[in-house]
Amino acid sequence: MLTIGKYSFGVGDRFAREGINQLRALIEAEERFGVHFDPVWNKSNREHQIVGTEPSETRAEADAAVRALGYRGQYFVDADHINLGNVDRFIEASDFFTIDVADYIGKSGSEQERFLPAIREAGRIYRHIADKKGAGNFVTEVSMDEVDEAQTPGELRYILRELAREGIPVQTIAPKFTGRFNKGVDYRGDLQQFEREFEQDLLVIDEAVRQYGLPENLKLSIHSGSDKFSIYPIMGRLIRKHGAGIHIKTAGTTWLEENIGLAMADPDALALAKKIYVSALGRMEELAVPYATVIDIDASALPAPEVVERWDADTYARTLRHNPADPLYNPSFRQLIHVSYKIAAELSGEFLPALERHTDVIGREITENLCERHIRRLFDK
């Protein structure tokens, strides 16, 4: 069976241009912290539809990065948040499938009434993939995170037992935790409660592997994991304590670092970054719809177009860069930029050449962000 490593990192990006910079960050992190991450390039059907791309482009990005850097470890391409209606377009290009069954979870009733329909649907999707790709030729993740109510450790135990009965060799599981996992910004919630839930879930997974015959490498997957800086030290300490693995998805943060890199590159690139923001401000409601459950934008905190037009590169970058200690940092600005990649896609004739021209500046921002702000918080003791 194709098996993912103990630690893995989801490093996809909206425009499939930053694979080398992302892989370089993981290589650098291994050199600095002695921890190896299997890279997983992930991109959801929603993102492909918005940008107008195909899963084959994500595979090409990953393969090109591996060749360019001479990387010899294993790596994966994740069909992120798929269902029976869209999975077929991912079959050829992907070897990691995130089966999203959150829509099948009931809002009330017993554990069986709430979760069994979702588990049965996960089984149908898994078997469909296995029929097409061959059982054992891909990694299976089950995602239940995009719901209103967090699953308790007891409910996670029930879910894992039923997934085992369904015959799904799940290697990563993405439950819903208490608190807000908004896109591109820090975790918002009770850190002590998160710590208790996370540790209890680790213990449940260990028990489920022993009792239900699930794969020994089964681990938690943290969706919307990018920029959740306050919980990274907690997760890092607890996975070391219990000898557990982890999978973290961080695709959205790369798009934000591309914007920062453009702002820092030259006046024309800064003007393009401003153009995207001003357009996003006028289309905020439209852009927010696909992400309504995972963003909290305070419209009153967003700067007016005429204010942004006067900004220099440093002001733009500091307003967008996730540094809570910086008085210029604006999480509402950052979240709006996060959902504005549709505009960059519409401006692809300007945007994509700008990425190519300024790849060095952008690359430094991406590599530093993943290695220094993310992985260091997990493993720098």
Side-chain angles (χ1 to χ4, degrees), residues 4-41:
I4 197 165
K6 184 175 184 178
Y7 303 125
S8 49
F9 218 73
V11 294
D13 63 276
R14 305 297 188 245
F15 297 95
R17 295 296 195 277
E18 309 301 343
I20 291 174
N21 296 321
Q22 294 161 334
L23 183 56
R24 185 177 288 121
L26 299 188
I27 293 171
E28 182 179 321
E30 184 170 4
E31 294 171 351
R32 290 180 56 188
F33 308 118
V35 179
H36 173 78
F37 285 91
D38 283 354
V40 182
W41 277 270

Side-chain angles (χ1 to χ4, degrees), residues 369-380:
N369 175 52
L370 291 177
C371 185
E372 183 66 21
R373 299 193 192 102
H374 286 77
I375 297 173
R376 180 181 64 79
R377 283 179 162 86
L378 274 174
F379 289 105
D380 187 354

Side-chain angles (χ1 to χ4, degrees), residues 112-128:
Q112 181 174 348
E113 290 168 331
R114 290 182 62 208
F115 297 110
L116 201 55
I119 292 161
R120 295 287 184 263
E121 182 66 13
R124 284 189 285 271
I125 299 170
Y126 167 75
R127 287 186 288 275
H128 179 83

Side-chain angles (χ1 to χ4, degrees), residues 81-139:
H81 286 287
I82 53 89
N83 55 48
L84 273 179
N86 56 42
V87 65
D88 283 344
R89 72 185 299 208
F90 291 90
I91 294 291
E92 183 176 354
S94 303
D95 50 14
F96 184 122
F97 290 82
T98 298
I99 298 173
D100 186 345
V101 290
D103 288 345
Y104 291 84
I105 296 176
K107 296 185 180 298
S108 61
S110 66
E111 288 180 341
Q112 181 174 348
E113 290 168 331
R114 290 182 62 208
F115 297 110
L116 201 55
I119 292 161
R120 295 287 184 263
E121 182 66 13
R124 284 189 285 271
I125 299 170
Y126 167 75
R127 287 186 288 275
H128 179 83
I129 300 167
D131 286 344
K132 298 275 188 175
K133 205 164 183 71
N137 292 326
F138 59 95
V139 171

